[in-house]
Amino acid sequence: MIDDQSTREELQLLYQVTVSDLTYFKTQQWSVTNYALALLAGLIGVTQFLKPSLSSCDRFVLVALAAAVSVVVLIVLSKLQKSIEVRQSRLDATRANFSVSFQQAWAAETKGHEYFHAIHFLYAAVVIGAVLSVWLIGFRL
């Protein structure tokens, strides 16, 4: 429990900043995934547009670009997820210092266990997009 006004204000500020950080990082995860899927679709479009004149070397370059985009995006997503986990831990530690009334209100109902987090959906979207891109660029179009 918080014992002085200064500490109370600091913890409230930390809580607000951390919630803002969480919102930012989660928004960034979705944006990065959307841009990655748009880039992969663009590579497929380029392949379709240049289809008659594409050599095997050109296809290899486009497949390598699709793979590189996917790997970089997966790395960025995992770094953002780590930042989210740090902020969530910070929120838990901050909440532990709030009043008994706050603790009771916070614990009014439990969220339950999540088996499939949004980050898993984003990872899957990027991997599936990469596999489809490589397949369409390298073998189908």
Side-chain angles (χ1 to χ4, degrees):
M1 185 160 137
I2 303 169
D3 43 354
D4 69 352
Q5 185 62 28
S6 175
T7 302
R8 180 186 330 265
E9 290 172 3
E10 289 171 348
L11 287 172
Q12 287 173 340
L13 178 62
L14 177 61
Y15 195 87
Q16 290 170 349
V17 168
T18 304
V19 167
S20 178
D21 286 351
L22 281 169
T23 302
Y24 172 76
F25 289 134
K26 288 181 180 190
T27 301
Q28 288 300 107
Q29 283 181 324
W30 284 93
S31 294
V32 166
T33 302
N34 287 336
Y35 287 128
L37 295 176
L39 281 169
L40 293 173
L43 291 173
I44 293 168
V46 166
T47 303
Q48 184 66 29
F49 182 72
L50 299 174
K51 183 177 175 179
S53 63
L54 277 177
S55 68
S56 295
C57 184
D58 295 333
R59 286 185 186 274
F60 176 78
V61 169
L62 290 169
V63 165
L65 282 171
V69 164
S70 302
V71 168
V72 168
V73 167
L74 291 172
I75 291 169
V76 170
L77 286 175
S78 70
K79 286 182 177 283
L80 287 166
Q81 184 61 28
K82 179 62 180 166
S83 294
I84 287 170
E85 290 167 3
V86 167
R87 290 345 182 259
Q88 287 170 334
S89 295
R90 190 174 293 161
L91 281 182
D92 291 341
T94 303
R95 278 193 294 266
N97 287 292
F98 286 165
S99 70
V100 173
S101 298
F102 179 90
Q103 301 293 337
Q104 289 172 344
W106 186 260
E109 187 170 338
T110 58
K111 183 172 137 181
H113 186 70
E114 289 184 38
Y115 294 101
F116 193 78
H117 296 276
I119 190 65
H120 298 130
F121 172 75
L122 298 178
Y123 287 146
V126 171
V127 169
I128 290 168
V131 169
L132 287 174
S133 297
V134 167
W135 180 63
L136 289 171
I137 293 168
F139 304 107
R140 299 298 295 166
L141 298 177

